Amino acid sequence: MPPKTALVTGVGREAGLGFAVARELAAQGFHAVLTARRLDAVEPLAALLREEGGQATALRLDLADSDSLRETAGQLADTFGRLDVLVNNASAMPDFRVLNALDADMDDVRTALEVSVLGPWALTQALLPLLKAAPAARIVNVSSRSAQQIATGLDLGAPLRSPAYSMAKYMLNALTGVLARALADTPILVNAVDPGNTATHPERGDAEHDRPAADSARDIVRAATLGPDGPTGRLFSDGRTTT
């Protein structure tokens, strides 16, 4: 029997969360399909997983390019014929230092929405036949606790950090529920995971208490390998269901 297949988006750096997720999935016997906008960035990472004894393939994928989505779907169909796990990990925080929604640059807002909301939505549509071809596929959307700034409301006068990024992740959580409802008559489960503050930027100076990427990755992989009685349309944080 061929191995289960898992596609992870946004795998462009060895220190990144996406690579940690792909590595854990490969360790659990999945054929990990690593994707990023630049093939030259992701190919060495797939090679590293193969050196570690895992099965891995690198593909170029641009979430903002409909032709790229169709090409990826075609490559997966030709090679594997199904997709067991889709991890929407790609993200963009173009407004890292912005503290007020009225100061947001609309180009930054469009970028954040394209990568974190429209991209996962369109990719799910493009890969749906492959997900349905698997016995019980799982979709995991990687969220952020930045979304909770909006979900829980703001104190008057409190800053909204990274408003474009935060709004995009809030909308990704909502999309998770929408997709779960749309797929309720299938074995496919759709959930979101807030990985918490994760140490993925040593070059920028990770905070002392940030979680290792491998720890956060395990939370995401747990959602990607839920059993048939697992929840759908939920948000997990620190391994627990929050909504």
Side-chain angles (χ1 to χ4, degrees):
M1 178 180 294
K4 292 183 177 180
T5 305
L7 184 145
V8 185
T9 67
V11 186
R13 297 181 306 113
E14 186 174 348
L17 181 58
F19 180 65
V21 170
R23 173 179 267 161
E24 180 65 22
L25 287 166
Q28 293 196 21
F30 285 83
H31 188 122
V33 180
L34 288 62
T35 70
R37 285 182 298 173
R38 288 176 40 233
L39 189 59
D40 64 337
V42 74
E43 280 183 327
L45 300 180
L48 178 56
L49 293 188
R50 292 193 294 270
E51 290 171 6
E52 294 175 353
Q55 299 182 69
T57 297
L59 293 179
R60 179 189 175 275
L61 174 61
D62 185 344
L63 293 173
D65 183 346
S66 57
D67 289 337
S68 180
L69 299 181
R70 286 191 292 270
E71 182 178 350
T72 297
Q75 290 171 314
L76 292 175
D78 292 342
T79 305
F80 304 107
R82 76 182 200 196
L83 182 64
D84 296 275
V85 170
L86 169 60
V87 179
N88 288 307
N89 167 74
S91 187
M93 185 185 282
D95 57 340
F96 181 71
R97 292 182 173 81
V98 180
L99 299 178
N100 189 317
L102 296 178
D103 294 330
D105 183 293
M106 287 298 107
D107 287 337
D108 288 346
V109 174
R110 292 184 185 94
T111 295
L113 293 177
E114 189 72 61
V115 175
S116 291
V117 184
L118 301 180
W121 196 343
L123 183 60
T124 300
Q125 289 181 325
L127 300 181
L128 188 57
L130 295 169
L131 292 163
K132 287 186 173 180
R138 303 289 180 258
I139 301 172
V140 182
N141 296 324
V142 180
S143 183
S144 168
R145 60 193 46 187
S146 293
Q148 299 307 308
Q149 297 180 95
I150 299 169
T152 60
L154 292 171
D155 294 330
L156 291 177
L160 173 58
R161 298 183 180 277
S162 305
Y165 174 80
S166 300
M167 181 64 75
K169 290 299 186 180
Y170 176 77
M171 292 175 68
L172 180 64
N173 291 347
L175 177 64
T176 299
V178 168
L179 294 177
R181 181 182 302 178
L183 293 167
D185 62 347
T186 77
I188 301 172
L189 303 181
V190 188
N191 291 288
V193 175
D194 166 15
N197 296 327
T198 304
T200 58
H201 288 281
E203 78 286 352
R204 203 164 63 195
D206 292 314
E208 179 182 355
H209 299 295
D210 286 354
R211 302 175 71 194
D215 289 353
S216 294
R218 280 190 282 271
D219 284 348
I220 294 168
V221 172
R222 272 194 289 271
T225 54
L226 288 170
D229 296 327
T232 190
R234 303 295 182 86
L235 170 64
F236 293 93
S237 181
D238 296 326
R240 299 185 299 274
T241 304
T242 60
T243 59

